[in-house]
Each structure stands twice: as C-alpha cells, then as structure tokens.
Amino acid sequence: MKVISLIGARPQFIKEAVLNKAFKKVGVEEIIVNSGQHYDYNMSDIFFKTLGIKSPDYNLEVGSGLHGEMTGKILIEFEKLTMKINPDVILVYGDTNTTLAGALVGAKLKIPVAHVEAGIRMLPKDMPEEINRVLADRISTYLFCPTQRSVENLKKEGIEEGVYFTGDVTYDLYLQMEKDFDYSLYNSLNLVGNEFVVVTIHRDYNVDNKTQLRNILKALVDVSRNKKVIFPMHPRTRKRIEEFSLGEFTEYFEILDPLDYLSFMGLIKNCSSVITDSGGLQREAYYAKKPAFLLMPDPAWHELVEKKMNFLCKPEDLVKMMEREKDYKHIPYIQGKGNAAEQIIKILMENQC
Ligand code: UD1
C-alpha cells in the first residue's frame, strides 16, 4: 500500500506525527506532501523537528492567500503530483483549505480519500473550516471519527458507509509525548503553580473583526488582574492587532511566538486554565485535566461543554465565567484508547490490500 499524507497547517503537522510513526512501525510507504499553507518556522518546520516526523517528500509552497486562491493552488499542484505518484490512498486531516483541496483531488482522480477527524460539525456554518469539513466528509471514502458524536453527525447527514470510530489521534500523541513535555518556558518565565492562564485566539470571527478583537483583548486585560496571561500568538492575530492599532492592550500579557507542541503542552500542564477558540486545544486541555474557556459560538467537542469541563463564553462574561475554574471536576469519558493511528492504518490495510 502506498499512501500520500497531505498536510500543510500547524494542527495537521501535529496529527501527522502519530500517523507517521504508526506507518513506519508497520512498514507502509507513506509519502508526505506539505502544501506549504503554513510556512513560518514556528508554524511548520519546528513540528517536524520536535516531534520526529520525517521531512516532507514534497512541498507545494502555496503560502498564504485568499481561500479560493490557496485551495486552487493546492488543487493544481497536488493533482499533478498525485498523478505522478499514483498512491492507493490519500490521507487528509481536519478542516483546513489543504484538507479540502486534497479530498477534491482524490475524488476527481478516483483515488480513495481517508479523512482523519471526520464528522465534526460546528457553527457558524459559513466559517471556512466548517465548509471544508462538510465537503471533505462528503467525498471521502474512509471517514475516521474521533468521537461517537462525530459518527452520529455523519449519520444525520446520511453518511454511514466507510465511517469508523477510531478515537482521537491527538489523544495518541498526548499519551506518547507526555513524558517529553518541555517545562523550560514554565521555569524561565518564573511561572508559579497555577497562577497563569494560556490564551490562543486565531479564528477569523474573533480576529478579523476589530470590535470583537478589541472586546477579547479588553476581557483578557481584566483576566490579567488576577492571573498572568500567557499568549502564544498566531501570526494572523499579531497582524490584526497591528492593523487595527490595538497594541496598547498587549502590554498586559506575556506575548510569545507560536510554540512547538512540547513547550506548549509544558505550559498547559501547569496552567490554571486555558482561554481559546481552538478545537484542538479544547481537547488537549481536557487531556491535561484543565478547564477551557471557549471564545467560540459553538464548540467542536460538545461533550466537553455538556460535562462542564469546557465553558462557552462571550468576551464580556469571560471573567465571571472563569470563577468556575475552582469547581472544575475532571470526568473521564471514553473516546478511544489512544490507538487511533494504529486502527486507521489497520482499516486501510484490510481494505486496500
Ligand atoms: C488555518 C486553518 C484552521 C487551523 C489553523 C491553525 C483554514 C481555513 N484554516 O487557519 O482550521 O485551525 O490553520 O493555525 O485552512 N500566516 C503567517 N505565517 C504562517 C501561516 C499563516 O504569517 O506560517 C498568516 C498569513 O497572513 C495568513 C494568516 O496567517 O494569511 C492565516 O493563515 P491561514 O493558513 O490562512 O489560516 P489560519 O488562520 O492559520
């Protein structure tokens, strides 16, 4: 079996780490194609280095652009490359423009597409990631679901064939890497016990609208009166803060460049809570037994909100909501066994060989 994994954005590099290791273990040929959607060292290369992923075999170097432009460029280049490689399966991950372009290429060339992290649904329906998810699920052959809820979501849309519940690949990664989490930042920033929060914000609905971004930053300034605010900043967010002249707020925070997974998780393990709009961090906070306050209209992981481990917030009630931090109870709920990658590969091998 010859597999292409198409990746290109930060969360995909993280997921690829587990798949790459699992492919190596069973001796399956995996060709890694990086679309180049994320290109800054801290958004891309650092993950290959720190997580031991083999360097991509190809880099399409599409870089940033309008959504259509980026998706279109990947389509053109990835189609040509796929025809040359002629793989048995194309693996795509998550919900980025890279995911959609990869799924489209596979579907058009009649090469089976495997979607890792299928079936997640989130409002607003017009957010770019939701569009990418729904469309990728429609045209994928294998739909690897991280939760039972995602299996149900697909069922509601009439998709039952090729659907497999495997658990979450980022849980695999958490279990594999926990012993290697890097606490040097925690030490060098002189952080004390639980007296700090970690913030990540990058969704278009939060950062591309000046009023919303200002409201979020103001709320974080209020948070900073009680807790140190550690803010590894996505390049999109940094750009918008400059563009909208909102820099005055940032002096209340410890702003960091985007971090590699191990350093980031070293902070998460010790913080008192997480404030985020990231679907990935929502569940990583859960794995680390930390409450997450979500500046999102709708969570990726509804179960965590229902079980009161994640809390949906508006910027104006963030400080009040954070009082719930002290009542946090970690409720284990089974979402796979931490062997999602192994299962994915087993299913592919059984079906493709
Ligand atoms: C993308 C994904 C999102 C994922 C996120 C993780 C889509 C539609 N969204 O969002 O699902 O959660 O990645 O980060 O694909 N930029 C840089 N350097 C980089 C990368 C980006 O400066 O290495 C800047 C560029 O100005 C770019 C902007 O950030 O225009 C946004 O990047 P883009 O890849 O379009 O979307 P993300 O917000 O990162």
Side-chain angles (χ1 to χ4, degrees):
M1 181 170 71
K2 184 160 55 163
V3 177
I4 294 185
S5 280
L6 177 68
I7 53 182
R10 181 169 62 175
Q12 293 162 337
F13 304 139
I14 290 172
K15 287 161 204 158
E16 172 59 25
V18 254
L19 266 300
N20 183 230
K21 196 165 162 197
F23 276 124
K24 275 185 204 152
K25 205 165 149 192
V26 291
V28 167
E29 183 184 3
E30 186 195 24
I31 296 144
I32 299 183
V33 180
N34 183 354
S35 71
Q37 176 171 348
H38 285 172
Y39 42 88
D40 286 354
Y41 178 78
N42 277 15
M43 297 289 288
S44 152
D45 300 355
I46 198 165
F47 295 98
F48 290 86
K49 212 169 131 208
T50 52
L51 296 176
I53 313 166
K54 75 161 181 167
S55 293
D57 298 282
Y58 300 89
N59 191 328
L60 308 178
E61 294 182 355
V62 297
S64 301
L66 294 170
H67 287 281
E69 181 190 359
M70 199 195 290
T71 314
K73 277 188 190 162
I74 303 171
L75 265 175
I76 293 170
E77 295 307 321
F78 187 58
E79 183 179 59
K80 282 192 257 179
L81 184 61
T82 303
M83 287 169 77
K84 202 168 91 186
I85 297 172
N86 195 23
D88 299 301
V89 183
I90 296 173
L91 242 79
V92 295
Y93 302 75
D95 56 20
T96 72
N97 294 333
T98 299
T99 314
L100 176 59
L104 273 171
V105 165
K108 299 277 183 183
L109 293 177
K110 303 197 189 311
I111 294 170
V113 174
H115 186 198
V116 177
E117 216 174 68
I120 293 180
R121 293 291 179 268
M122 217 193 301
L123 297 171
K125 281 213 162 300
D126 62 355
M127 84 195 245
E129 288 80 8
E130 183 67 6
I131 297 167
N132 293 339
R133 262 180 224 123
V134 170
L135 296 177
D137 282 342
R138 275 273 144 209
I139 54 181
S140 292
T141 317
Y142 301 98
L143 297 106
F144 295 123
C145 294
T147 58
Q148 293 290 359
R149 181 77 57 115
S150 43
V151 174
E152 286 159 30
N153 289 341
L154 291 172
K155 198 170 175 185
K156 277 190 216 145
E157 294 174 16
I159 305 175
E160 292 189 67
E161 212 186 308
V163 175
Y164 302 89
F165 168 68
T166 56
D168 177 16
V169 290
T170 66
Y171 184 44
D172 297 22
L173 187 66
Y174 184 91
L175 295 178
Q176 287 170 21
M177 292 293 173
E178 194 176 8
K179 61 182 184 330
D180 297 323
F181 288 170
D182 181 348
Y183 298 99
S184 48
L185 255 176
Y186 174 73
N187 294 326
S188 64
L189 291 173
N190 291 320
L191 297 170
V192 182
N194 271 348
E195 292 172 10
F196 70 98
V197 293
V198 178
V199 177
T200 75
I201 300 291
H202 74 283
R203 292 280 166 213
D204 61 351
Y205 53 71
N206 278 334
V207 303
D208 290 356
N209 176 306
K210 183 173 178 179
T211 310
Q212 176 71 0
L213 183 55
R214 184 198 278 120
N215 289 342
I216 290 175
L217 295 173
K218 263 167 114 177
L220 293 175
V221 171
D222 290 340
V223 172
S224 76
R225 297 185 213 290
N226 298 318
K227 306 254 180 192
K228 242 183 178 174
V229 173
I230 311 295
F231 197 159
M233 200 174 274
H234 189 287
R236 174 201 279 266
T237 311
R238 196 181 280 274
K239 225 179 250 179
R240 294 292 182 257
I241 287 177
E242 271 163 35
E243 241 171 74
F244 297 148
S245 307
L246 296 171
E248 80 212 65
F249 293 103
T250 57
E251 65 194 66
Y252 294 87
F253 320 136
E254 184 76 55
I255 308 276
L256 306 173
D257 284 335
L259 297 173
D260 70 274
Y261 177 80
L262 300 176
S263 308
F264 187 69
M265 291 310 297
L267 289 178
I268 300 299
K269 278 287 276 195
N270 281 307
C271 70
S272 64
S273 61
V274 168
I275 301 169
T276 190
D277 60 8
S278 152
L281 183 48
Q282 247 187 287
R283 59 198 133 135
E284 282 158 356
Y286 161 71
Y287 299 143
K289 303 189 171 62
K290 302 291 174 177
F293 297 92
L294 309 178
L295 293 167
M296 304 166 92
D298 192 33
W301 302 73
H302 289 265
E303 302 89 326
L304 295 173
V305 173
E306 287 159 11
K307 294 188 189 303
K308 299 194 168 37
M309 291 184 280
N310 282 185
F311 304 91
L312 283 175
C313 308
K314 294 202 168 64
E316 52 277 21
D317 50 48
L318 179 62
V319 172
K320 182 119 199 54
M321 288 296 279
M322 285 183 68
E323 286 169 16
R324 300 188 185 192
E325 210 182 58
K326 54 183 185 313
D327 304 325
Y328 176 82
K329 266 202 208 73
H330 186 78
I331 305 169
Y333 83 110
I334 309 297
Q335 290 291 295
K337 300 189 179 98
N339 64 350
E342 263 171 47
Q343 286 196 66
I344 288 170
I345 292 171
K346 188 164 165 261
I347 293 162
L348 290 177
M349 289 176 82
E350 280 167 5
N351 284 278
Q352 289 300 127
C353 295

